Amino acid sequence: MINVKPTAKHIKSIKKHKRFLEKWKMWGFAYYDGEDYYFAAQYTQITGSLTGYLILNQDGEDLPLSQVLSQAYYLVRYNTMVHNTISAMVPQMAKSRKTYEEMLGLLKNNQHEIVKQRPDLTEAVRKMIELNEYSVKMSDKIREIVYRLGGYQRDITQGRGYFDQKFFDVMDDEYGKYSELMYKYGIQERDLQKDYARLSEALDISNISISSSDKRKLKTLLKATQETNEKELTKSLETFEKDDQGNQLYIDLNNIKESLAKNREDIGKRDFQKITVPIIRNKS
């Protein structure tokens, strides 16, 4: 069986590229391209700022840059997926859903009386209930994605010690489910903005026979939702709909997951060439 753990040769090669006031970290996994296993070392300043990468083959050799670009791309993309799972998905998984649960309960309990007095709000209230049901379940859906990704990561770092193209594609597909989940929520929330205002106004001026307590709570939640959306929703959706240079990205609403995956891949390849390649320390 091939040993795919870093060896003393790898450490020796890494130290040759270490610069003054820099730290290095050898990633504890490899990428297998079908012929050889490739490792990555990451260099940072003492402050933590990223300063470079070094890609080494199974024998700890520092190959020419042109021979390791593809391997470096997959190593960096894989590491980015793991990082984003921890930094973005885990906080969302732990996010309280209490507000959505309260809104859902109030809308369901008072749906009949609201639409009886304001039948023009029937579809709007139905959509609000549907979206809040979706929101309440999001933590569990995100948790499932995080746990699967965590299982893949453990398989790599504690088991086989490497990943290949097929494994990367499986992991990337699971990773993409999170983006799809968040984007679908965002566009539905955006579509409801005017309806939130209409319902809030109706609670003020219409003779809707619901308890004053429920009316007060519902108005408070609607106002908080509108304010949050005004501050955060547009910015959040722009992370999907525009790149970091403000260019519009195409998203097929009938094929959201695939569209987001393509945009993510295109931006990943662009950033790899623009940002990563210049700091790879393999010899030219």
Side-chain angles (χ1 to χ4, degrees):
M1 181 177 179
I2 296 176
N3 178 11
V4 292
K5 295 182 179 180
T7 65
K9 289 183 179 179
H10 291 89
I11 306 303
K12 185 176 181 181
S13 295
I14 292 168
K15 287 183 176 180
K16 285 197 304 182
H17 289 267
K18 187 173 183 291
R19 298 172 183 172
F20 183 61
L21 292 180
E22 277 188 334
K23 299 187 293 183
W24 59 268
K25 177 183 179 182
M26 185 76 179
W27 293 349
F29 55 87
Y31 170 68
Y32 179 60
D33 68 352
E35 295 181 359
D36 203 348
Y37 295 85
Y38 293 84
F39 293 87
Q42 175 179 305
Y43 298 86
T44 59
Q45 294 179 337
I46 299 300
T47 58
S49 300
L50 178 66
T51 54
Y53 295 102
L54 180 68
I55 310 301
L56 303 169
N57 70 0
Q58 168 65 30
D59 298 318
E61 296 173 328
D62 172 10
L63 299 176
L65 179 61
S66 61
Q67 295 182 31
V68 298
L69 285 177
S70 176
Q71 296 86 341
Y73 170 75
Y74 284 108
L75 282 162
V76 171
R77 277 286 306 276
Y78 174 86
N79 195 62
T80 299
M81 274 199 288
V82 173
H83 171 78
N84 289 345
T85 298
I86 297 170
S87 63
M89 295 188 202
V90 171
Q92 279 292 335
M93 178 183 77
K95 186 177 179 180
S96 172
R97 300 288 157 182
K98 184 179 179 180
T99 298
Y100 304 113
E101 291 171 353
E102 290 179 354
M103 176 85 86
L104 179 60
L106 288 166
L107 288 170
K108 279 189 169 183
N109 291 338
N110 297 291
Q111 181 181 12
H112 177 74
E113 290 301 325
I114 292 172
V115 301
K116 178 181 176 182
Q117 180 66 29
R118 289 291 301 269
D120 58 305
L121 289 173
T122 300
E123 183 64 9
V125 173
R126 184 192 68 78
K127 287 182 178 179
M128 289 179 200
I129 290 174
E130 189 177 84
L131 181 58
N132 278 278
E133 287 176 335
Y134 183 87
S135 301
V136 167
K137 296 175 182 176
M138 276 179 66
S139 289
D140 289 338
K141 292 179 181 294
I142 295 172
R143 184 175 292 105
E144 290 175 3
I145 295 170
V146 169
Y147 283 1
R148 288 195 194 100
L149 290 172
Y152 294 148
Q153 168 70 347
R154 285 190 296 275
D155 186 23
I156 298 302
T157 58
Q158 300 176 22
R160 67 175 72 186
Y162 72 93
F163 69 96
D164 55 15
Q165 177 71 59
K166 184 178 180 180
F167 192 96
F168 176 87
D169 290 343
V170 170
M171 191 164 179
D172 188 54
D173 182 72
E174 187 67 31
Y175 181 84
K177 293 177 183 177
Y178 172 77
S179 298
E180 179 186 26
L181 186 72
M182 297 302 290
Y183 185 66
K184 281 184 175 180
Y185 166 76
I187 58 176
Q188 290 180 73
E189 190 73 87
R190 179 169 59 191
D191 289 343
L192 280 172
Q193 278 294 82
K194 291 182 180 179
D195 290 327
Y196 288 139
R198 289 173 60 214
L199 177 55
S200 185
E201 182 181 16
L203 292 171
D204 278 331
I205 66 175
S206 301
N207 186 27
I208 298 175
S209 300
I210 66 175
S211 71
S212 57
S213 174
D214 279 6
K215 184 179 290 188
R216 183 176 64 255
K217 290 177 183 177
L218 188 52
K219 284 175 60 178
T220 299
L221 289 172
L222 287 168
K223 181 181 179 181
T225 299
Q226 287 175 279
E227 290 177 348
T228 299
N229 288 346
E230 287 175 4
K231 293 178 182 178
E232 300 176 8
L233 185 60
T234 298
K235 184 177 179 181
S236 175
L237 286 173
E238 282 185 350
T239 64
F240 297 102
E241 298 174 341
K242 293 182 180 181
D243 65 14
D244 58 350
Q245 298 173 358
N247 299 312
Q248 197 72 30
L249 300 171
Y250 174 71
I251 299 175
D252 180 356
L253 295 181
N254 295 315
N255 222 354
I256 289 175
K257 186 166 180 282
E258 288 73 14
S259 293
L260 295 177
K262 183 181 184 303
N263 291 338
R264 189 169 63 249
E265 182 179 9
D266 289 345
I267 292 172
K269 288 180 177 178
R270 183 204 67 188
D271 288 349
F272 177 75
Q273 290 294 331
K274 182 180 177 181
I275 300 171
T276 305
V277 172
I279 60 173
I280 295 178
R281 297 185 181 177
N282 293 67
K283 51 198 175 187
S284 299

